[in-house]
């Protein structure tokens, strides 16, 4: 993807130099939804960075003045399976909505409280709406992830609903799946444009 530059940040594809920074914030996930992506060695991070460097669905968020990675944004169009063959035909029964985009984020807690998450996510949303022709952006947020809920609201997204016991990322002590209650937030391009027109 093309680099996106904000006042303090650069949003770009992952690079080999990001491995140590990626390991720093994935070694101890702060929310359950990232447990599947937990890494414990630099070798794992090096391999993951190599994979992500060829994948526009994962975007490194870096400080402009040092190029240090502080987190990531990620997303994909509705119905896209990143593990499938992109040249193969979709099953006629599968849901495909190329103007709807799911987004998420994962940041290093060491850089929390500086507004970097909102600055990067806002720029990413502008890119999706204005450059990629996306009509609707949505995000799933667990009901105990208050930081992400606050970020969604700061970005002007609406809370559309609550899915009870929607998905499981970890297990209970007895080995059974622990299901997460999950909010869905969303914003339409026309809502985003209206909000920005009002802000001017």
């Amino acid at each position: 993807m093309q680099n996106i530059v904000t006042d303090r940040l650069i949003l770009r594809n992952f690079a080999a130099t990001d491995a140590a920074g990626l390991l720093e914030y994935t070694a101890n996930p702060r929310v359950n939804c990232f447990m599947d992506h937990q890494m414990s060695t630099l070798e794992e991070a090096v391999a993951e960075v190599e994979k992500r460097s060829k994948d526009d669905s994962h975007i490194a968020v870096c400080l402009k003045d040092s190029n240090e990675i502080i987190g990531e944004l990620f997303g994909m169009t509705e119905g896209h399976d990143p593990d499938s063959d992109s040249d193969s035909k979709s099953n006629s029964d599968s849901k495909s909505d190329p103007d709807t985009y799911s987004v998420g984020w994962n940041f290093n807690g060491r850089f929390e409280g500086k507004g970097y998450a909102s600055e990067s996510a806002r720029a990413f949303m502008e890119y999706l709406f204005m450059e990629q022709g996306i009509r609707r952006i949505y995000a799933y947020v667990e009901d105990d992830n208050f930081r992400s809920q606050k970020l969604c609201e700061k970005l002007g997204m609406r809370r559309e609903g609550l899915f009870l016991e929607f998905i499981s990322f970890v297990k209970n002590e007895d080995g059974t799946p622990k299901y997460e209650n999950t909010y869905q937030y969303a914003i339409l391009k026309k809502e985003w444009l209206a909000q920005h027109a009002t802000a001017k």
Side-chain angles (χ1 to χ4, degrees):
M1 64 166 279
Q2 68 185 55
N3 289 357
I4 301 172
V5 181
T6 70
D7 290 342
R8 301 178 295 168
L9 304 169
I10 298 175
L11 282 59
R12 57 163 174 77
N13 287 109
F14 273 80
T17 52
D18 298 327
L22 176 65
L23 178 62
E24 184 177 342
Y25 68 83
T26 57
N28 296 292
R30 298 190 293 162
V31 290
N32 288 338
C33 63
F34 296 118
M35 292 301 294
D36 284 346
H37 305 285
Q38 186 175 23
M39 297 176 207
S40 56
T41 68
L42 185 58
E43 288 73 20
E44 287 179 291
V46 168
E48 183 64 22
V49 162
E50 170 65 19
K51 185 171 71 174
R52 292 186 185 189
S53 68
K54 304 178 181 74
D55 180 5
D56 286 348
S57 67
H58 286 271
I59 300 162
V61 179
C62 309
L63 297 177
K64 185 195 283 188
D65 59 358
S66 66
N67 202 34
E68 179 182 7
I69 185 171
I70 63 170
E72 67 187 89
L73 302 170
F74 50 87
M76 64 186 68
T77 53
E78 184 75 29
H80 171 72
D81 180 358
D83 297 321
S84 68
D85 181 357
S86 60
D87 295 328
S88 64
K89 294 287 186 183
S90 298
N91 185 297
S92 59
D93 294 331
S94 66
K95 183 177 180 182
S96 180
D97 196 353
D99 64 358
T100 297
Y101 207 88
S102 168
V103 298
W105 37 76
N106 188 12
F107 283 88
N108 188 328
R110 185 159 58 89
F111 298 94
E112 193 171 288
K114 302 179 188 299
Y116 292 140
S118 58
E119 183 175 332
S120 60
R122 192 172 287 117
F124 186 43
M125 289 171 63
E126 180 176 1
Y127 167 75
L128 292 173
F129 282 138
M130 305 306 291
E131 302 294 331
Q132 297 298 305
I134 298 301
R135 177 188 62 87
R136 179 175 181 270
I137 294 173
Y138 71 94
Y140 289 126
V141 182
E142 288 68 44
D143 67 349
D144 59 353
N145 188 350
F146 303 114
R147 286 185 300 264
S148 280
Q149 292 172 36
K150 183 177 179 181
L151 176 57
C152 286
E153 291 160 7
K154 192 172 184 179
L155 294 169
M157 303 177 85
R158 288 172 287 100
R159 183 184 288 182
E160 292 191 322
L162 173 63
F163 300 95
L164 297 178
E165 298 189 9
F166 182 61
I167 194 168
S168 175
F169 302 105
V170 297
K171 295 186 181 300
N172 293 307
E173 290 182 4
D174 63 1
T176 58
K178 177 185 178 184
Y179 288 99
E180 308 276 351
N181 298 331
T182 304
Y183 288 115
Q184 179 169 291
Y185 286 83
I187 186 169
L188 299 172
K189 180 178 180 178
K190 62 185 179 182
E191 294 173 318
W192 182 87
L193 289 171
Q195 290 172 9
H196 283 73
T198 303
K200 290 180 179 178

